[in-house]
Amino acid sequence: MKSPVHRCRDVEHGRGQASAGYLQGEQRIPISKDIITSSSASAMWFIRDACGIICAVITWLLVLYAEFVVLFVMLLPSKNLTYSIVNGTLFNSLAFLALASHFRAMCTDPGAVPKGNATKEYIESLQLKPGQVVYKCPKCCSIKPDRAHHCSVCKRCIRKMDHHCPWVNNCVGENNQKYFVLFTMYIALISLHALVMVVFHFLYCFEDDWTKCSSFSPPATVILLILLCFEGLLFLIFTFVMFGTQVHSICTDETGIEQLKKEERRWAKKTKWMNMRAVFGHPFSILWFSPFSTPNHGKAETYQYVV
């Protein structure tokens, strides 16, 4: 008999071993989504992780700092009313969408598998046929579907888990990947927009009197603009790379964990467009870019349970 450590390792890597005496066989069973979908999918989801909460708060504070500098240092003192209105409306709209996407990514169940449902009685109620097997996560005692991974921070198995992101204090999984992608996209856009406005404001101040181009003193204005420039450049690079990584992961239908572990593909290969619809909804519409719209998957399969 294998020790619990060895037995858990076999279950985690899916080597075909049973995690308990009543889990036997060598083939996977096609498990319906209703069996392993969280019963509280519509309930508020929030991870009580100190590091994640701090990172999420810092994210909001940095966006609010950018709002302050853009409005009170660059736009309101500007003599061009049209320039202020257009750029103020655009920047605030993108910032609002970014924060809304962040909130949805943080407070949406990423696809947690029901905890503690891998009991002997429950598995017997599935009426498995000879040669069929379900995999049990030894850490949260749940029936573990294919392509699900256990998150040590969320302390749950997450369907199609890509990674755990402390900046949104949540896992990025099947149900909230759309909001995370929108968050990275909108942050990259407001970072680029802020950088462009900083450059124009510096040029404007060099041509005009520094005391007239801002309601703050020249030293304070320079410091605020340099800090915003540094923040915008840093977040532009980070979120643009993350956005590209996420889009590539969606198009190839391969999560970040699967890429790192170089797991063998056991699921059907689909087109890039079908993979995009599986995350953002079916069919394509302007709602793809809205963090307030829950994806309508239509005929697109959101998760492939059958091997």
Side-chain angles (χ1 to χ4, degrees), residues 62-301:
L62 289 174
V63 174
L64 293 178
Y65 170 77
E67 283 274 359
F68 171 78
V69 177
V70 168
L71 291 179
F72 294 98
V73 178
M74 292 190 289
L75 296 183
L76 290 181
S78 176
K79 299 177 182 178
N80 191 331
L81 183 61
T82 303
Y83 174 86
S84 298
I85 293 177
V86 171
N87 284 280
T89 302
L90 178 60
F91 186 86
N92 282 279
S93 299
L94 293 175
F96 175 74
L97 290 172
L99 293 179
S101 301
H102 182 274
F103 182 81
R104 290 298 302 273
M106 179 173 59
C107 297
T108 299
D109 182 346
V113 178
K115 198 172 184 179
N117 66 347
T119 61
K120 182 176 181 180
E121 295 75 14
Y122 184 73
I123 293 177
E124 287 178 348
S125 68
L126 299 179
Q127 298 180 348
L128 304 181
K129 298 179 182 180
Q132 292 180 325
V133 61
V134 293
Y135 288 89
K136 171 185 174 182
C137 176
K139 300 174 184 177
C140 59
C141 193
S142 62
I143 294 179
K144 188 174 182 180
D146 194 29
R147 301 188 70 185
H149 294 84
H150 185 88
C151 176
S152 58
V153 179
C154 298
K155 296 180 175 58
R156 298 287 291 274
C157 280
I158 306 298
R159 301 194 308 271
K160 208 173 181 182
M161 174 181 170
D162 186 86
H163 69 287
H164 183 92
C165 179
W167 294 105
V168 298
N169 188 34
N170 201 1
C171 277
V172 178
E174 177 182 286
N175 293 342
N176 68 342
Q177 190 173 21
K178 170 191 172 180
Y179 310 123
F180 181 75
V181 173
L182 292 180
F183 167 66
T184 58
M185 182 184 73
Y186 287 127
I187 289 294
L189 289 176
I190 64 173
S191 298
L192 179 61
H193 189 200
L195 287 173
V196 172
M197 285 191 292
V198 166
V199 172
F200 277 102
H201 197 73
F202 265 120
L203 295 176
Y204 170 71
C205 290
F206 279 127
E207 293 179 356
D208 202 350
D209 189 355
W210 278 83
T211 57
K212 297 180 180 180
C213 69
S214 175
S215 57
F216 295 87
S217 63
T221 301
V222 172
I223 293 175
L224 291 173
L225 291 177
I226 290 177
L227 289 177
L228 178 61
C229 186
F230 178 77
E231 175 192 344
L233 185 61
L234 183 65
F235 271 81
L236 174 61
I237 296 174
F238 177 76
T239 54
F240 181 77
V241 171
M242 183 59 69
F243 174 77
T245 301
Q246 286 294 303
V247 172
H248 177 266
S249 175
I250 294 172
C251 292
T252 58
D253 193 18
E254 192 175 19
T255 65
I257 292 180
E258 291 166 348
Q259 293 175 7
L260 289 175
K261 291 186 175 181
K262 297 181 180 180
E263 296 183 0
E264 181 183 357
R265 179 183 286 270
R266 300 181 301 274
W267 52 95
K269 189 174 183 180
K270 296 178 289 186
T271 63
K272 295 179 180 179
W273 186 242
M274 290 179 64
N275 293 329
M276 292 291 288
R277 289 188 301 177
V279 173
F280 292 95
H282 178 87
F284 171 79
S285 69
I286 193 66
L287 296 179
W288 276 28
F289 305 97
S290 171
F292 305 101
S293 172
T294 302
N296 177 21
H297 300 289
K299 296 181 180 180
E301 183 65 31

